[in-house]
Amino acid sequence: MEVMEMTEKEQIQKNVEEFSRLQDYMVDSDKESTAYKKMKKRYIELKVILTTFGVNLTELDYIKE
């Protein structure tokens, strides 16, 4: 079975989309909930990943935590 690897561009796109979707969920969640705390952990991970790829988060990050 052949394994297809994602290009860097595809990885960036996937992570940008997830980052945006995650922020939408965070806005609709109670900040004290367990779910929000788990989402915030992933939010931070995605910020690190996107920053490492050189993505400017100024326009993308509307949670700003």
Side-chain angles (χ1 to χ4, degrees):
M1 178 189 304
E2 184 178 327
V3 176
M4 299 190 61
E5 293 186 28
M6 279 194 275
T7 65
E8 184 174 317
K9 184 177 177 181
E10 290 169 328
Q11 290 175 8
I12 292 170
Q13 179 182 352
K14 175 185 163 287
N15 285 302
V16 165
E17 289 169 352
E18 182 181 352
F19 188 69
S20 178
R21 193 175 314 115
L22 180 62
Q23 288 184 93
D24 287 342
Y25 296 144
M26 290 173 75
V27 166
D28 291 337
S29 299
D30 175 18
K31 288 187 176 188
E32 299 304 316
S33 71
T34 302
Y36 186 90
K37 291 173 184 172
K38 289 179 180 182
M39 286 186 279
K40 186 170 179 184
K41 180 179 179 218
R42 183 60 181 153
Y43 165 84
I44 292 168
E45 293 169 349
L46 287 166
K47 281 181 79 165
V48 170
I49 291 167
L50 292 169
T51 301
T52 301
F53 275 123
V55 175
N56 182 345
L57 296 177
T58 305
E59 296 294 322
L60 295 173
D61 186 6
Y62 53 87
I63 298 286
K64 301 194 187 315
E65 287 190 23

